[in-house]
Amino acid sequence: MAAAPGGSAPPAGPGPRLGFSTADSGVGMSGLNPGPAVPMKDHDAIKLFVGQIPRGLDEQDLKPLFEEFGRIYELTVLKDRLTGLHKGCAFLTYCARDSALKAQSALHEQKTLPGMNRPIQVKPAASEGRGEDRKLFVGMLGKQQGEEDVRRLFQPFGHIEECTVLRSPDGTSKGCAFVKFGSQGEAQAAIQSLHGSRTMAGASSSLVVKLADTDRERALRRMQQMAGQLGAFHPAPLPLGACGAYTTAILQHQAALLAAAQGPGLGPVAAVAAQMQHVAAFSLVAAPLLPAAASSPPGGGPGSLPGLPAPIGVNGFGPLTPQTNGQPGSDTLYNNGLSPYPAAYPSAYAPVSTAFPQQSSALPQQQREGPEGCNLFIYHLPQEFGDAELIQTFLPFGAVVSAKVFVDRATNQSKCFGFVSFDNPTSAQTAIQAMNGFQIGMKRLKVQLKRPKDANRPY
DNA sequence: TCGTATT
């Protein structure tokens, strides 16, 4: 019964909509009549992704905003499948393709919903095929073929929105082009008929007609190229320098942790030991660089390291012989990412969660904000830092509620910034003191309080 | 360079 309230206007039914197919259908009467109980959608309708939605808004709240642009076929707020938590985004399909286009141009990056820092996102969902399903890459053209020739070739298949021959700086054709059709069907027809169908004058092989790369594919391709280049360089001396820098950072990191913890407890060492998982391989190679690194205090950052015990430096680079407590079996420190903290730290640094020492590790980590003053913005993170490393880095300063490194969706590469939230402001301040300015390679971490939500905004 | 979320 939760579905479609019969009869009268008020749809008030707070029914557990599974996506709230906006069967708004104006008139109440649900299924029985042959009427349009469920609105039809165009065959070429576009499913839109809507991002930057305040977590407090559900489908009912959003509906009015989007209905301005046409009848909604379906609107679904994304929720975490386990927790049911609002993920801050939604899928939206209009009955008419045109409505989607209008909504996108009117709303995308144009309007910021209450409580959000950034403007709403309204764009074709990633699942919408390739997003650029109307755009073709054409290869194996003759060098002498220009836009007009290419147009003539593709004209029979539909409306050409765009036609570009790729050229070198000197103007000569690269023998390929992009052709964008008005619809996916037209593009597909062209592929069917033209791909491999003939060999153009001066081309070495038959005509290539395929969908153009998506952004993601382009990004991946670039990444592969870069990886290839790195591979080629690998035997060269360059990497050692890089390792040295990174090693330096880790060493300084140790110092920072030590200083912050204000004590020789095994906590910091344990945390660093965990870090070492990631650099053990480098460490061996870079070992000779260590003493220098150890003797130079991290400028601007955590300040001096009064008594950085020599054993620590040495210890760090004998990855399998941590000296934390002299126990031979202490390599267990390496395998339980988050656990060392509660037991090992002085109470001042182990605020709350001591009662459940081992539990923090497995939580789904839905990103959350802590209270005001507890949320840090961190910039200049090492490229290789992920959420886990971020947690490790800040765990020594208190209970980390969440840690998130931003990642480029297309490449999966870190954007080198992220957030860490503690459950109390003191931990956040301690972390800032210890880690802001902390040098890694040529860069220094920037660690500061996250901007409050309403900053940057008139009212 | 300020919470990124794609069923």
Side-chain angles (χ1 to χ4, degrees):
Chain A
M1 285 310 127
S8 40
R17 72 251 105 190
L18 314 167
F20 167 41
S21 297
T22 313
D24 65 336
S25 70
V27 246
M29 290 323 291
S30 56
L32 297 183
N33 287 333
V38 174
M40 286 304 243
K41 73 174 164 109
D42 290 355
H43 42 284
D44 59 352
I46 304 169
K47 175 174 284 196
L48 297 172
F49 173 82
V50 182
Q52 297 297 327
I53 300 173
R55 307 205 181 242
L57 300 188
D58 65 11
E59 286 87 351
Q60 296 292 349
D61 302 316
L62 295 169
K63 186 179 163 191
L65 172 63
F66 295 112
E67 268 180 340
E68 275 191 48
F69 306 97
R71 170 169 286 201
I72 295 172
Y73 175 74
E74 185 174 33
L75 173 61
T76 310
V77 165
L78 272 63
K79 307 222 168 99
D80 184 277
R81 73 166 54 188
L82 294 176
T83 66
L85 286 173
H86 193 303
K87 293 175 104 164
C89 57
F91 288 119
L92 166 65
T93 309
Y94 286 98
C95 299
R97 177 186 182 89
D98 185 55
S99 305
L101 297 174
K102 281 196 293 202
Q104 179 176 6
S105 70
L107 296 176
H108 181 64
E109 298 269 11
Q110 296 302 123
K111 174 183 171 70
T112 301
L113 266 17
M116 293 290 101
N117 268 332
R118 292 157 41 113
I120 193 171
Q121 305 288 303
V122 179
K123 55 195 183 189
S127 61
E128 283 298 84
R130 308 152 47 102
E132 280 284 22
D133 274 348
R134 307 145 45 206
K135 189 172 179 182
L136 301 179
F137 171 83
V138 185
M140 289 299 153
L141 288 168
K143 302 271 194 230
Q144 76 292 351
Q145 291 181 286
E147 272 80 1
E148 283 315 307
D149 302 299
V150 176
R151 279 184 184 274
R152 252 197 305 280
L153 191 57
F154 284 86
Q155 203 156 334
F157 303 97
H159 171 64
I160 298 175
E161 281 188 10
E162 190 183 304
C163 176
T164 315
V165 171
L166 278 65
R167 299 179 186 281
S168 306
D170 66 8
T172 64
S173 165
K174 289 185 170 178
C176 55
F178 290 113
V179 175
K180 190 181 207 173
F181 277 103
S183 78
Q184 180 178 344
E186 293 168 345
Q188 287 299 339
I191 292 175
Q192 296 294 332
S193 298
L194 292 181
H195 180 66
S197 66
R198 67 201 74 181
T199 299
M200 311 311 290
S204 60
S205 162
S206 63
L207 190 65
V208 170
V209 182
K210 50 182 279 231
L211 292 176
D213 278 358
T214 60
D215 288 347
R216 163 173 281 250
E217 286 160 340
R218 258 198 305 282
L220 286 174
R221 186 162 300 182
R222 268 199 306 273
M223 225 165 53
Q224 283 163 357
Q225 283 171 356
M226 286 178 58
Q229 305 218 331
L230 283 181
F233 279 120
H234 194 262
L238 183 58
L240 184 58
C243 292
Y246 194 41
T247 305
T248 300
I250 293 297
L251 234 213
Q252 294 178 347
H253 193 169
Q254 295 179 6
L257 297 178
L258 257 194
Q262 290 177 347
L266 59 84
V269 178
V272 169
Q275 285 286 346
M276 285 302 167
Q277 291 179 99
H278 307 288
V279 294
F282 296 89
S283 303
L284 293 175
V285 176
L289 299 177
L290 273 183
S295 61
S296 63
S304 60
L305 352 161
L308 177 60
I312 301 244
V314 174
N315 174 42
F317 293 86
L320 296 183
T321 57
Q323 303 186 356
T324 49
N325 54 15
Q327 292 177 4
S330 57
D331 57 339
T332 54
L333 287 173
Y334 289 100
N335 58 30
N336 55 359
L338 305 182
S339 62
Y341 145 61
Y345 276 73
S347 59
Y349 294 92
V352 188
S353 52
T354 330
F356 306 104
Q358 304 286 18
Q359 277 190 358
S360 44
S361 49
L363 300 180
Q365 171 80 27
Q366 184 96 15
Q367 87 280 5
R368 307 187 304 189
E369 280 188 37
E372 179 84 35
C374 300
N375 306 298
L376 302 182
F377 173 67
I378 296 111
Y379 198 57
H380 296 158
L381 287 169
Q383 179 69 46
E384 52 271 293
F385 260 45
D387 293 353
E389 287 75 19
L390 198 55
I391 293 175
Q392 285 294 328
T393 304
F394 286 87
L395 205 48
F397 309 108
V400 173
V401 167
S402 81
K404 186 98 212 142
V405 173
F406 269 50
V407 165
D408 182 287
R409 256 186 79 80
T411 64
N412 272 332
Q413 296 272 36
S414 164
K415 290 183 168 175
C416 297
F417 72 91
F419 298 91
V420 169
S421 295
F422 291 99
D423 68 347
N424 73 87
T426 304
S427 295
Q429 288 302 329
T430 306
I432 292 174
Q433 291 306 317
M435 298 306 291
N436 184 41
F438 180 75
Q439 185 166 351
I440 299 186
M442 309 278 330
K443 302 191 297 189
R444 294 172 189 278
L445 284 189
K446 179 181 286 189
V447 181
Q448 52 193 204
L449 282 180
K450 186 179 90 94
R451 269 203 305 263
K453 273 216 185 322
D454 44 14
N456 246 352
R457 210 107 51 76
Y459 293 85

